[in-house]
Amino acid sequence: MSRRTVAATIVRRDCSGDEVATHQRELRALAEEQQFLLASEDMLVVDSDREFPLLMATLPLNEVNAILVPHLRHVIGWLDLMRSKFEVWTVHPLRCWAQKTASSESQSLSSEPGR
């Protein structure tokens, strides 16, 4: 696997509670295991998803191709938007939510019954 640049390793305090440090360690371990190159040593720790619009607007889209989060609940409600630009990886469960491209969306729509 080639090394990837991951600019966003996101932990939400409202989801992690007392586990913020644990979740940060898990994200670093995931990055190492999957051979991701972190764009920044600083983990993004936000209070809630209210900070996501600014976060999404400031990520360097030409460098970033994945976002790592501890659990899906950290990005619930934002997953589709994030997947329009990045892969989204979760630690629990270990899963890659692949990036959705315009062509994959149209293929999905054309394969619906009755179309």
Side-chain angles (χ1 to χ4, degrees), residues 15-36:
C15 292
S16 292
D18 295 336
E19 300 295 316
V20 170
T22 300
H23 289 165
Q24 288 176 309
R25 282 191 300 276
E26 290 173 342
L27 290 174
R28 281 191 182 92
L30 173 63
E32 186 174 319
E33 178 182 300
Q34 296 298 321
Q35 299 181 340
F36 287 109

Side-chain angles (χ1 to χ4, degrees), residues 9-17 19-20 23-24 26-27 44-50 52 55 67-79 82 88-92:
T9 48
I10 303 170
V11 177
R12 282 179 45 187
R13 283 188 186 97
D14 62 333
C15 292
S16 292
E19 300 295 316
V20 170
H23 289 165
Q24 288 176 309
E26 290 173 342
L27 290 174
L44 297 173
V45 179
V46 297
D47 291 322
S48 72
D49 67 346
R50 288 186 302 255
F52 282 6
L55 174 68
I67 293 177
L68 307 179
V69 294
H71 301 273
L72 188 58
R73 69 179 176 262
H74 286 245
V75 293
I76 205 74
W78 290 89
L79 185 60
M82 288 183 175
V88 177
W89 284 75
T90 56
V91 175
H92 302 286

